[in-house]
């Protein structure tokens, strides 16, 4: 972390102390998640490649990406509230900030907004709706390390050319209407050569049943979507549902991704349709522990034939308290492309919320 970043955190912490003597109708809080795991990590890849080589290491943020955050609200009267959120990713295994060296400091969230009877309007950097739907309907949530849905949507193995968060975006969320919610998000290109990205989502939750749908059109726009060249476009649609029977909670997802207008060496794999589905379950086995299982399959319709990538993840999550849990995970990662070999990951971790 640079000196300027440390000074920025110190300034925020100082403001939190000052909040204690502020007006009673205002509140500011610090929070976060610290997640570290140890294990043997191996992914699908070409024989003798770095991905397919089994390595034993300590990793940060595999179950939940580690972060620290600050948020606050101010009661403006008449049911209207002002709000802000600042959240920074961390790599606990090295002490570095960000998910990688390319992350901005407040990469998880940096926004302000207003809420009231009309719903909520937010402006700044925030999660996009595809990511919110992806994590909501699988038993491993937003785990970039172990969730088949997340791994087959984002990063090196996913078709998404953007990120789980959008910078320079504006979002509006409806109030909860008897279990129904909806939202719309816009990210302007902010220049003559870049295009606007848009997203919508809607959901319904009532008792044990929940269903949600997210759709976005990602174009060449503000960073971190550097992989979308001028004129490139991706459309994404993801439907998810869950039902909690008590003895078991079931999850299901189906999504389609389509790219067009991509140029360069990766055009043949980017200008394609990709289908994704996921089935999962969560089974409480005690008051404090539950078994998790999720299977995900991604199929890319290439001109040379379909390419299929499958991930099966099994885990056990045990809460030592309301804020601290330990987990054990096995993940089988398999890609059917020529020359690719499957990988097996076994990891044990601890996660603390504050």
């Amino acid at each position: 972390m640079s000196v300027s970043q440390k000074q920025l955190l110190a300034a925020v912490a100082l403001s939190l102390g000052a909040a204690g003597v502020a007006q009673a109708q205002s509140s500011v809080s610090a929070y976060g998640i610290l997640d570290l795991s140890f294990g043997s990590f191996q992914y699908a890849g070409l024989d003798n490649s770095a991905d397919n080589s089994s390595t034993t290491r300590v990793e940060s943020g595999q179950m939940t990406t580690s972060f620290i955050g600050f948020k606050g609200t101010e009661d403006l009267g008449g049911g209207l509230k002002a709000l802000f959120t600042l959240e920074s990713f961390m790599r606990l295994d090295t002490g570095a900030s960000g998910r990688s060296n390319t992350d901005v400091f407040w990469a998880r969230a940096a926004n302000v907004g207003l809420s009231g009877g009309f719903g909520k309007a937010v402006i700044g950097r925030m999660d996009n709706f595809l990511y919110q739907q992806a994590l909501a309907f699988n038993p491993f949530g937003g785990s970039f390390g172990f969730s088949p849905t997340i791994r087959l949507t984002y990063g090196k193995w996913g078709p998404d050319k953007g990120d789980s968060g959008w910078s320079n975006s504006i979002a509006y969320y409806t109030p909860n209407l008897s279990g129904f919610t909806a939202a719309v998000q816009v990210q302007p290109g902010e220049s003559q050569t870049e295009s606007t990205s848009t997203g919508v989502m809607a959901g319904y939750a009532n008792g044990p049943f929940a269903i949600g749908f997210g759709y976005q059109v990602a174009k060449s726009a503000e960073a971190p979507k550097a992989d979308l060249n001028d004129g490139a476009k991706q459309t994404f649609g993801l439907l998810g549902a869950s039902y909690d029977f008590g003895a078991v909670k079931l999850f299901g997802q189906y999504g389609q991704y389509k790219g067009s207008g991509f140029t360069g060496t990766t055009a043949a794999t980017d200008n394609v349709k990709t289908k994704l589905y996921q089935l999962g379950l969560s089974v409480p086995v005690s008051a404090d522990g539950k078994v998790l299982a999720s299977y995900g399959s991604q199929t890319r319709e290439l001109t040379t034939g379909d390419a299929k990538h499958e991930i099966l993840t099994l885990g056990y999550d045990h809460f030592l308290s309301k804020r601290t849990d330990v987990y054990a995970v096995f993940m089988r990662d398999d890609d059917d492309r020529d020359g690719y070999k499957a990988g097996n990951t076994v990891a044990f971790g601890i996660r603390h919320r504050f």
Side-chain angles (χ1 to χ4, degrees):
M1 184 182 297
S2 68
V3 174
S4 62
Q5 290 172 343
K6 292 179 180 178
Q7 291 173 337
L8 182 58
L9 275 179
V12 173
L14 182 62
S15 70
L16 289 176
V21 295
Q23 301 179 29
Q25 64 267 30
S26 299
S27 65
V28 180
S29 59
Y31 57 95
I33 294 178
L34 308 177
D35 181 356
L36 275 172
S37 57
F38 171 77
S40 174
F41 296 83
Q42 182 190 33
Y43 310 117
L46 294 171
D47 194 14
N48 296 320
S49 66
D51 289 330
N52 198 238
S53 298
S54 179
T55 58
T56 300
R57 57 184 188 266
V58 173
E59 287 283 359
S60 174
Q62 293 295 288
M63 186 67 88
T64 303
T65 308
S66 301
F67 76 95
I68 184 171
F70 307 93
K71 63 182 177 181
T73 62
E74 181 186 10
D75 191 340
L76 302 175
L80 186 65
K81 292 183 179 180
L83 52 92
F84 80 87
T85 305
L86 292 170
E87 295 174 343
S88 177
F89 290 114
M90 298 182 294
R91 286 168 279 173
L92 297 184
D93 51 340
T94 64
S97 62
R99 296 162 295 180
S100 68
N101 292 334
T102 60
D103 253 346
V104 295
F105 188 67
W106 300 110
R108 196 174 195 268
N111 56 70
V112 294
L114 295 171
S115 67
F118 64 90
K120 181 173 69 172
V122 183
I123 183 170
R125 178 167 173 82
M126 65 196 82
D127 287 346
N128 60 47
F129 296 161
L130 183 72
Y131 177 65
Q132 291 185 22
Q133 292 299 310
L135 69 85
F137 296 101
N138 84 85
F140 289 91
S143 172
F144 278 80
F146 307 124
S147 165
T149 297
I150 300 299
R151 292 183 64 82
L152 295 175
T153 301
Y154 297 98
K156 184 174 183 178
W157 291 274
D160 182 88
K161 307 296 286 187
D163 193 7
S164 57
W166 281 1
S167 300
N168 296 326
S169 64
I170 303 170
Y172 166 71
Y173 300 79
T174 69
N176 190 313
L177 305 172
S178 301
F180 176 81
T181 56
V184 59
Q185 185 177 26
V186 176
Q187 183 196 52
E190 299 198 341
S191 76
Q192 293 181 344
T193 60
E194 307 214 351
S195 303
T196 297
S197 296
T198 56
V200 295
M201 70 175 179
Y204 176 78
N206 185 8
F209 175 71
I211 187 170
F213 177 73
Y215 181 83
Q216 70 183 37
V217 179
K219 298 181 179 180
S220 178
E222 182 61 28
K225 295 200 289 295
D227 288 335
L228 277 80
N229 56 266
D230 187 24
K233 179 178 75 172
Q234 280 192 317
T235 58
F236 314 86
L238 184 62
L239 175 68
S242 65
Y243 196 95
D244 192 345
F245 291 92
V248 59
K249 184 175 183 179
L250 301 180
F251 302 84
Q253 292 171 305
Y254 176 77
Q256 284 195 7
Y257 310 79
K258 181 68 170 68
S260 62
F262 287 92
T263 60
T265 57
T266 62
T269 55
D270 291 336
N271 294 320
V272 299
K273 180 185 289 185
T274 301
K275 297 179 181 179
L276 167 74
Y277 71 85
Q278 181 269 150
L279 297 173
L281 57 84
S282 172
V283 182
V285 293
S286 70
D288 303 310
K290 55 186 176 182
V291 172
L292 308 173
S294 177
Y295 167 78
S297 175
Q298 172 209 90
T299 302
R300 291 193 180 190
E301 299 178 358
L302 305 175
T303 56
T304 55
D306 291 352
K308 192 172 185 178
H309 192 158
E310 300 172 288
I311 298 178
L312 173 65
T313 306
L314 305 174
Y316 176 71
D317 190 18
H318 187 87
F319 278 80
L320 304 175
S321 70
K322 290 183 178 180
R323 297 192 300 172
T324 303
D325 62 310
V326 292
Y327 57 84
V329 173
F330 168 78
M331 183 175 71
R332 173 74 171 180
D333 187 10
D334 196 6
D335 192 314
D336 71 355
R337 284 178 290 178
D338 290 342
Y340 276 66
K341 295 183 63 177
N344 297 313
T345 292
V346 178
F348 304 89
I350 181 170
R351 181 171 47 176
H352 178 74
R353 303 157 183 82
F354 64 90

